Amino acid sequence: MVLQITQQAKERMNEMLNYEENDRLRLRLGVNDEGCNGLSYSLRFDEAFDQRVDYLTDINTIPVTIKKADIAIVTGTTIDFKQNMMGGGFTVDNPNTVHSCGCDSASKAEDRESVPESC
């Protein structure tokens, strides 16, 4: 399995997908070359995909799209949803990360070169 989606994340994603009332939406996990240590992650729902460059799968019943070029970077990653007194949000825990930023919005993976920016 490329990545895992926890039960808490699945429940929150299903709430969001049901709110949108669009059965063609898929979760897109993106890896962006930006942030203070080079890589950051994005999660969004969209319908678009290109079979030539995108990998399509279902993970814990959630339809997921990932760029084929990012598979090596995100393999083993866990997406979770955490709730606390300040609110809630999705977290991306990537075991391939060799260094992460103090602001926790970016990380560096061993197999991906990027241009670091400041936090």
Side-chain angles (χ1 to χ4, degrees), residues 49-56 68:
F49 63 89
D50 182 339
Q51 293 271 351
R52 295 171 294 162
V53 297
D54 288 328
Y55 172 76
L56 306 177
K68 290 176 182 176

Side-chain angles (χ1 to χ4, degrees), residues 3 10-12 23-24 29-31 34 37 43 56 61 64 66 68 77 79 86 102 107 109 111-112 116 118:
L3 60 98
K10 173 189 166 182
E11 290 170 5
R12 182 64 180 127
D23 61 354
R24 295 185 317 258
L29 171 62
V31 179
E34 57 187 42
N37 285 309
L43 295 172
L56 306 177
T61 72
V64 177
I66 306 167
K68 290 176 182 176
T77 294
I79 299 173
M86 300 298 287
S107 62
D111 295 337
R112 178 95 161 233
S118 59

Side-chain angles (χ1 to χ4, degrees), residues 21-105:
E21 298 179 2
N22 181 345
D23 61 354
R24 295 185 317 258
L25 287 176
R26 305 180 63 82
L27 174 70
R28 179 175 289 277
L29 171 62
V31 179
N32 306 304
D33 290 328
E34 57 187 42
C36 57
N37 285 309
L39 299 179
S40 66
Y41 304 98
S42 64
L43 295 172
R44 71 174 194 265
F45 293 109
D46 70 17
E47 298 177 16
F49 63 89
D50 182 339
Q51 293 271 351
R52 295 171 294 162
V53 297
D54 288 328
Y55 172 76
L56 306 177
T57 189
D58 285 354
I59 300 170
N60 201 3
T61 72
I62 301 295
V64 177
T65 305
I66 306 167
K67 295 275 186 216
K68 290 176 182 176
D70 294 336
I71 295 296
I73 300 295
V74 300
T75 296
T77 294
T78 300
I79 299 173
D80 196 6
F81 184 80
K82 308 242 178 179
Q83 185 77 38
N84 61 33
M85 293 187 311
M86 300 298 287
F90 291 100
T91 62
V92 178
D93 180 23
N94 186 340
N96 302 313
T97 299
V98 294
H99 186 266
S100 64
C101 179
C103 60
D104 204 26
S105 67

